Amino acid sequence: MASYAKETFEFMKLALEQAKDALVNLEVPVGCVIVEDAEVIASGRNRTTETRNATRHAEMEAIDFLVEQWQKNGLSALEVSERFSKCILYVTCEPCIMCAAALSYLGIKEVYYGCGNDKFGGCGSILSLHTSCPELPSSELASSKKGFKCTGGIMASEAVSLLRSFYEQGNPNAPKPHRPLKPQV
Amino acid sequence: MKNTETISPQVCKIIHIPEKPSFLPHLQPTVNVLAAVIEPKDANTLVRKLNQIAPLENLRHVKRVLKKCIDGGKPQLSLLLCMAVENDGEVDHMPSEILELVKSYQLSTFITQVCKYAATSKEEWDEQCKLWPTSYHPPTYNISGITGFSEEESQSVFGFMRHTINLATSVGQVVNAAVIVDPSTKQVIASACDQVISSASLANEVSKEGSCSNYLENLKASNLENHQTSLLDSSVGEFKHITINVACVHPWRWALQSSGCGCPLRHAAIVAIEYSAARDLQLFPDHKTLSPLKRQKIESDFHSYQSLRPYLCTGYDIYLAWEPCAMCAMALVHQRVRRIFFSFPNPNAGALGSVHRLQGERSLNHHYAVFRVMLPEEVFRNKIAEAKISGSG
Ligand SMILES: [Zn+2]
Ligand SMILES: [Zn+2]
């Protein structure tokens, strides 16, 4: 296995903590953190069951938190874009096509993920939305497709075992009004 | 359709956008691959090694090994090594791990062709296997059950699309709009416009907007177009001025807005999904948030509660002015939308036929049917003119 900086594993551990929090709350256990200048500035985990919105993936939760913060602080669109271009995402599972597209739109710098996502993956498994697209006219460079560096397989077995235990306990994200109740966070 | 020869701009049409570009079975697109004849005793080892070092990422439907019976009935095995490098079949152009394998097993390589897309019918599959064996998975849903439109249903589709176009042009600027509909009751479940550009930026940009006449010409051309495979080939340039604020068409452009910051990912479809989820929560709250009395009531009505409550957007349709981008198209997979109707193709970033084709990605756990709805050109001419007047006023 390639050698990564120790901090890569430290940040992935934090993402795994988020995933565990999802599991406890009967959500698909995927979690993430967003890091800027070696500091965690946002974290997120799946909230699809709670919100009945199947797009509320960990990445979207963390991104929306950041955008809201930066808007509150009065950052311009250009400043928001500059901040994202310095951010690294650590996520326990390969971003799906939706999240990979979103990360490309935001112009994130880099992504580290745990296990691959062979059904929905947007960073190489099904589509490769992280690679930049040289055929596009370069006349509009600032507004054209941006790629990001993407590395998979970081603590993948931990990520997989969380997912496995979720699917073994049955998918509660199905229409069952009598699902067991968990204390609210 | 009575007579496609005399289509006028007055005619409304619903066109199915298939899971893959349509080809005759014997004219399916192919790609070049590098292969080699191997000893049958090495087959298992070599296939295992290759699946590790060079998995067939974009050719999952293609089998690794071709078995042929040559003279005397002796089987000959050919092994697919990897995709061939463009216009160059030389051995030193293959990945180094494969080169090592070729050397250690003393393989002599050759270039051959395999079918680029997975077969969607038995006929296609039979043709494919004449070239090189592939696997075939029959469709997971029955398209015929959801593509037949009665006259009444067509009128309803055109009506909702008109409503969607109105919405897309109602905010003083042309943006994308999304309307989620329950077709069984013809009820609007949720609707939204793009929320990517901040209102301050919108006001600034309206004055910079170019002429929309080119755009209308283009719309006219594409509405008159009746050849299915070329429907999505509109040129990007002509659409540029008018679509500049359509989030799905220019998803990377949010950072250039002149003042303030909207929400870069709040494309119309994403917002509409959020609204429909909020509606679901409001109409069918979780038990834990209910008063004990209400909870008792619901539990006694358990069966009607369960049959009424939708699971995500299962059974719902969504109308979009523009073909959605990859983010929105995948969001609609996640939310289990049944059918997608859009009016304008999105050659820049569209994910339902233009750049990607998510309805044809077999690995996804849900598949929707996709349709393009053609409306008479006047609908847009009036609406876009109105948008410009109210925007500059
Ligand atoms: Zn995702
Ligand atoms: Zn979009």
Side-chain angles (χ1 to χ4, degrees):
Chain A
M1 192 183 186
S3 62
Y4 300 106
K6 198 172 137 228
E7 57 170 40
T8 307
F9 295 100
E10 293 306 316
F11 290 132
M12 191 58 83
K13 273 183 202 157
L14 295 176
L16 284 161
E17 285 307 312
Q18 289 291 317
K20 280 175 203 158
D21 185 47
L23 186 67
V24 169
N25 287 281
L26 302 179
E27 300 275 359
V28 177
V30 176
C32 73
V33 295
I34 296 180
V35 173
E36 181 188 35
D37 298 330
E39 192 192 329
V40 174
I41 56 169
S43 61
R45 59 131 170 115
N46 246 298
R47 283 184 196 277
T48 56
T49 304
E50 177 194 327
T51 58
R52 304 213 191 141
N53 180 340
T55 71
R56 296 316 297 167
H57 288 185
E59 299 93 319
M60 293 303 209
E61 288 283 319
I63 289 165
D64 283 357
F65 169 80
L66 280 184
V67 170
E68 199 181 310
Q69 290 296 305
W70 291 338
Q71 275 177 334
K72 264 189 213 153
N73 297 342
L75 266 63
S76 72
L78 204 60
E79 285 165 330
V80 167
S81 151
E82 276 163 12
R83 294 290 293 273
F84 274 121
S85 72
K86 295 194 290 173
C87 286
I88 303 177
L89 169 77
Y90 296 82
V91 57
T92 56
C93 183
E94 177 189 350
C96 73
I97 289 169
M98 172 186 75
C99 294
L103 292 163
S104 153
Y105 302 164
L106 297 174
I108 203 156
K109 183 184 174 195
E110 195 168 354
V111 171
Y112 289 96
Y113 66 81
C115 56
N117 184 341
D118 60 2
K119 279 207 172 90
F120 314 117
C123 296
S125 290
I126 307 301
L127 296 182
S128 293
L129 298 165
H130 60 300
T131 55
S132 58
C133 187
E135 315 95 80
L136 275 178
S138 58
S139 55
E140 250 191 89
L141 215 62
S143 64
S144 66
K145 183 173 173 181
K146 299 179 192 85
F148 51 88
K149 199 176 158 212
C150 199
T151 311
I154 313 290
M155 305 180 78
S157 56
E158 284 88 336
V160 169
S161 74
L162 282 175
L163 287 166
R164 198 166 286 149
S165 52
F166 174 79
Y167 288 108
E168 273 163 15
Q169 78 189 11
N171 182 357
N173 195 10
K176 277 185 296 188
H178 280 300
R179 76 179 73 120
L181 303 179
K182 286 280 161 182
Q184 278 185 292
V185 189
Chain B
M1 200 57 50
K2 281 162 227 139
N3 187 354
T4 47
E5 298 303 308
T6 57
I7 278 179
S8 78
Q10 304 301 322
V11 170
C12 302
K13 279 205 291 182
I14 303 173
I15 296 155
H16 179 231
I17 311 283
E19 289 180 30
K20 58 175 193 123
S22 23
F23 305 101
L24 293 171
H26 62 286
L27 293 176
Q28 298 176 70
T30 58
V31 285
N32 287 342
V33 294
L34 205 58
V37 173
I38 55 165
E39 291 294 329
K41 67 178 167 58
D42 297 331
N44 282 340
T45 319
L46 280 168
V47 167
R48 191 162 10 92
K49 282 187 178 170
L50 275 172
N51 283 341
Q52 267 171 17
I53 60 176
L56 294 172
E57 293 284 352
N58 297 315
L59 296 173
R60 288 157 188 276
H61 58 289
V62 179
K63 298 204 166 162
R64 275 283 180 190
V65 179
L66 163 71
K67 190 175 176 182
K68 249 192 221 161
C69 282
I70 46 170
D71 311 328
K74 192 182 153 228
Q76 185 197 56
L77 297 190
S78 299
L79 177 68
L80 197 165
L81 297 171
C82 59
M83 299 266 281
V85 177
E86 295 274 318
N87 62 40
D88 199 343
E90 286 186 39
V91 177
D92 56 348
H93 276 84
M94 64 181 84
S96 55
E97 292 111 323
I98 293 185
L99 191 60
E100 266 173 44
L101 214 63
V102 166
K103 279 185 180 156
S104 63
Y105 285 83
Q106 296 182 322
L107 304 176
S108 69
T109 62
F110 61 93
I111 301 267
T112 187
Q113 291 186 319
V114 301
C115 281
K116 188 172 175 188
Y117 301 108
T120 52
S121 67
K122 179 82 170 48
E123 291 85 344
E124 285 181 2
W125 185 44
D126 290 343
E127 284 297 325
Q128 294 200 342
C129 293
K130 290 179 189 168
L131 274 181
W132 187 281
T134 60
S135 52
Y136 169 55
H137 304 286
T140 50
Y141 65 95
N142 181 7
I143 189 81
S144 63
I146 44 180
T147 53
F149 292 96
S150 67
E151 180 58 26
E152 189 205 343
E153 197 177 9
S154 302
Q155 288 311 319
S156 156
V157 166
F158 300 138
F160 280 120
M161 188 52 86
R162 278 203 177 85
H163 172 66
T164 307
I165 306 274
N166 282 354
L167 204 59
T169 49
S170 65
V171 290
Q173 191 44 272
V174 179
V175 296
N176 208 354
V179 178
I180 297 175
V181 172
D182 179 348
S184 66
T185 58
K186 301 206 183 348
Q187 184 189 8
V188 172
I189 300 295
S191 56
C193 289
D194 287 339
Q195 296 177 0
V196 169
I197 309 280
S198 71
S199 39
S201 277
L202 265 183
N204 277 343
E205 292 201 3
V206 166
S207 53
K208 288 193 248 159
E209 198 53 58
S211 149
C212 66
S213 61
N214 278 348
Y215 175 72
L216 287 171
E217 284 309 303
N218 207 321
L219 276 186
K220 196 172 180 179
S222 68
N223 269 296
L224 286 167
E225 180 61 74
N226 59 13
H227 187 245
Q228 192 170 338
T229 51
S230 59
L231 276 173
L232 300 178
D233 295 342
S234 346
S235 90
V236 188
E238 298 296 314
F239 281 78
K240 199 82 163 251
H241 272 301
I242 206 90
T243 63
I244 203 105
N245 290 320
V246 177
C248 285
V249 180
H250 295 286
W252 293 278
R253 199 182 170 276
W254 62 274
L256 295 182
Q257 59 186 289
S258 45
S259 58
C261 180
C263 307
L265 303 181
R266 288 185 72 79
H267 293 200
I270 300 284
V271 182
I273 288 173
E274 183 187 293
Y275 291 169
S276 79
R279 175 187 178 274
D280 179 12
L281 268 176
Q282 200 190 8
L283 290 180
F284 306 95
D286 274 336
H287 289 191
K288 62 187 169 190
T289 60
L290 293 175
S291 67
L293 202 69
K294 261 195 166 167
R295 194 184 302 175
Q296 221 173 32
K297 165 106 177 61
I298 279 182
E299 279 168 11
S300 68
D301 287 346
F302 173 67
H303 287 291
S304 64
Y305 181 86
Q306 197 171 25
S307 63
L308 280 174
R309 189 191 145 184
Y311 175 54
L312 303 174
C313 285
T314 303
Y316 291 170
D317 297 335
I318 190 167
Y319 292 79
L320 291 157
W322 269 270
E323 178 190 358
C325 69
M327 176 180 74
C328 294
M330 189 62 200
L332 296 169
V333 172
H334 287 318
Q335 200 69 7
R336 305 283 206 280
V337 166
R338 176 171 173 245
R339 300 184 297 192
I340 301 179
F341 298 93
F342 69 81
S343 245
F344 309 124
N346 172 357
N348 215 27
L352 299 180
S354 293
V355 179
H356 304 291
R357 195 176 283 259
L358 289 201
Q359 67 269 45
E361 293 294 342
R362 283 313 176 80
S363 71
L364 304 183
N365 61 346
H366 171 74
H367 294 91
Y368 37 58
V370 179
F371 304 90
R372 183 175 175 196
V373 179
M374 310 287 235
L375 291 182
E377 177 219 335
E378 280 71 22
V379 177
F380 315 116
R381 186 184 293 279
N382 297 338
K383 282 296 140 198
I384 289 165
E386 272 171 35
K388 279 187 66 71
I389 290 161
S390 65
S392 53

